[in-house]
Amino acid sequence: MKNCLLAIESSCDDTSAAILTDGKIQSNITANQRIHEKYGGVIPEMASRKHQQHIIPVVAAALDEAGVEKKDLSAIAFTRGPGLIGSLLVGVSFAKGLALSLDIPLIEVNHMQAHVLAHFIERPQPRFPFLCLTVSGGHTQIVLVKDYLSMEIVGETIDDAVGEAFDKTAKMLGLPYPGGPLVDKHAQKDNPHAFQFTEPSIPGLNFSFSGLKTSILYFLRDRLKEDDWFIKDNLGDICASVQERIITILMNKLKKAALEYEIGEIAIAGGVSANSGLRKAVEQTGKELGWNTYIPRFEYCTDNAAMIAMTGYYKFLNKDFVGHDIAPVARYRF
Ligand code: KG4
Ligand code: ZN
């Protein structure tokens, strides 16, 4: 064994640990926090406390599943940001403590870069340069990926992230957090053209989702005035129509980026890339326009430590280590 990394992810509400040996993922264990469901969003203080409870058993399970002992580790990679500062602090402090006790180096990882590099966990892998639409709870980006660690954001949201648009829609419909997967589920069989929501006209490759959120709010308010049962009776059609609009906004910008950069290697990443409608749209558009499309397996779409390990691996090869004075950062651009 040439190298063996432990990776830790704790940027939001999932505590995750992974083991990678010689570039291959051996284990990827995630503990979810259900405590936020009833609040309609993540409560930062509760998230940090849950990370503290989860981190030791999650790391132990990752080591155990990989058949690796602590003494075998060559380095520890951790998410430095972006994310909730209290949540990040738990992972960063744990990584530092363990690295100090084992006398091994630390590798800091940008969470958004890691979402992109999730594509290198398995095959087929995109070829450089490729475009990655990274869609998560906090970010919406079109990234020009020139190499493993050389990326440029060429388009991004100017207000809400797309995951937020899904989660806020779900909240307005009375669905628990995180609402994205539930909107997806209720959208499955119903009519995506039942209701029309406007597409914002934002120049270039940037996105905006706050107008859509407001138009959904007003739409529901007006319909509920006439009919108390409107949401209950039309849940599937509302979810399908909102999802359809979100997907067309994303796809139109992605097509524009592909044209502008003359790139046909197209990937999606981040929690919202688990959305069944988006996955289908990317595949279908890819067929129409002759793109090679790359869609991660579900477990590598939402937050996971395997993607942190993969990024850590490329940094390890460059001996890109950090000192113990490193601190987490809530905002972190690559
Ligand atoms: O990447 P991620 O796990 O965490 C962040 O880095 O934010 O993304 C979480 C987001 C949440 O907003 C969640 O509702 C959304 O991804 N999401 C989905 C689906 N699965 C997760 N949104 C739409 N459809 C899904 N199937
Ligand atoms: Zn994420």
Side-chain angles (χ1 to χ4, degrees):
M1 200 193 311
K2 287 194 290 293
N3 58 67
C4 179
L5 303 189
L6 163 68
I8 292 166
E9 155 63 32
S10 71
S11 64
C12 189
D13 56 343
D14 295 327
T15 321
S16 187
I19 299 290
L20 172 148
T21 53
D22 299 334
K24 297 222 161 35
I25 298 296
Q26 308 297 338
S27 63
N28 179 41
I29 305 287
T30 305
N32 305 115
Q33 302 184 358
R34 301 199 55 186
I35 192 160
H36 311 287
E37 279 175 9
K38 57 178 182 278
Y39 299 104
V42 175
I43 309 294
E45 180 58 26
M46 286 185 183
S48 329
R49 287 168 193 269
K50 282 282 168 198
H51 280 303
Q52 282 182 321
Q53 289 171 10
H54 289 160
I55 196 148
I56 292 174
V58 164
V59 169
L63 286 163
D64 191 47
E65 193 176 300
V68 162
E69 289 182 43
K70 287 199 289 278
K71 66 171 176 45
D72 302 327
L73 295 174
S74 347
I76 301 178
F78 63 89
T79 304
R80 184 183 179 205
L84 300 171
I85 202 75
S87 292
L88 290 164
L89 206 53
V90 177
V92 175
S93 308
F94 183 88
K96 281 187 193 178
L98 191 57
L100 194 67
S101 73
L102 298 171
D103 194 22
I104 54 175
L106 279 170
I107 304 168
E108 62 94 34
V109 171
N110 179 306
H111 180 89
M112 298 313 293
Q113 200 164 32
H115 268 304
V116 175
L117 294 181
H119 282 283
F120 295 92
I121 296 172
E122 295 182 311
R123 288 179 197 283
Q125 300 177 350
R127 281 165 304 175
F128 301 113
F130 67 92
L131 289 169
C132 186
L133 172 71
T134 315
V135 276
S136 72
H139 296 78
T140 305
Q141 303 173 335
I142 298 180
V143 184
L144 172 61
V145 190
K146 298 170 205 162
D147 205 338
Y148 298 112
L149 299 168
S150 170
M151 308 182 186
E152 190 189 328
I153 299 166
V154 295
E156 63 189 319
T157 183
I158 57 168
D159 41 52
D160 291 357
V162 66
E164 251 175 299
F166 270 108
D167 295 337
K168 286 177 180 171
T169 301
K171 195 175 176 184
M172 290 187 250
L173 296 173
L175 302 170
Y177 178 85
L182 294 170
V183 172
D184 189 359
K185 190 174 137 222
H186 288 290
Q188 296 289 332
K189 285 188 229 88
D190 287 281
N191 180 8
H193 305 290
F195 307 109
Q196 295 298 322
F197 298 101
T198 45
E199 178 165 358
S201 61
I202 307 296
L205 297 175
N206 286 339
F207 301 90
S208 165
F209 289 99
S210 70
L212 177 67
K213 178 186 66 188
T214 312
S215 71
I216 297 167
L217 183 73
Y218 289 160
F219 165 80
L220 292 176
R221 185 196 59 186
D222 294 345
R223 296 298 177 108
L224 285 169
K225 261 189 219 159
E226 293 157 13
D227 174 8
D228 287 346
W229 294 90
F230 179 73
I231 291 179
K232 204 166 187 312
D233 291 345
N234 297 280
L235 189 59
D237 280 348
I238 303 169
C239 289
S241 303
V242 171
Q243 182 168 301
E244 171 73 9
R245 173 52 71 226
I246 291 177
I247 292 169
T248 51
I249 295 173
L250 294 172
M251 290 310 297
N252 285 343
K253 293 289 180 171
L254 193 53
K255 283 191 241 175
K256 197 169 176 183
L259 210 59
E260 214 169 295
Y261 286 90
E262 296 180 8
I263 290 177
E265 292 280 303
I266 307 290
I268 56 171
V272 181
S273 65
N275 183 267
S276 58
L278 180 62
R279 294 166 86 89
K280 254 184 247 150
V282 170
E283 241 170 51
Q284 203 175 320
T285 310
K287 275 192 198 129
E288 282 161 25
L289 301 179
W291 293 347
N292 293 320
T293 53
Y294 303 89
I295 301 172
R297 198 140 56 93
F298 284 111
E299 64 181 295
Y300 300 133
C301 290
T302 45
D303 289 349
N304 66 87
M307 68 186 195
I308 307 301
M310 214 57 235
T311 313
Y313 174 67
Y314 296 116
K315 290 192 148 191
F316 181 87
L317 296 180
N318 292 341
K319 295 198 167 43
D320 187 355
F321 304 132
V322 290
H324 281 256
D325 54 347
I326 193 90
V329 279
R331 288 169 181 270
Y332 191 12
R333 284 178 80 82
F334 49 76

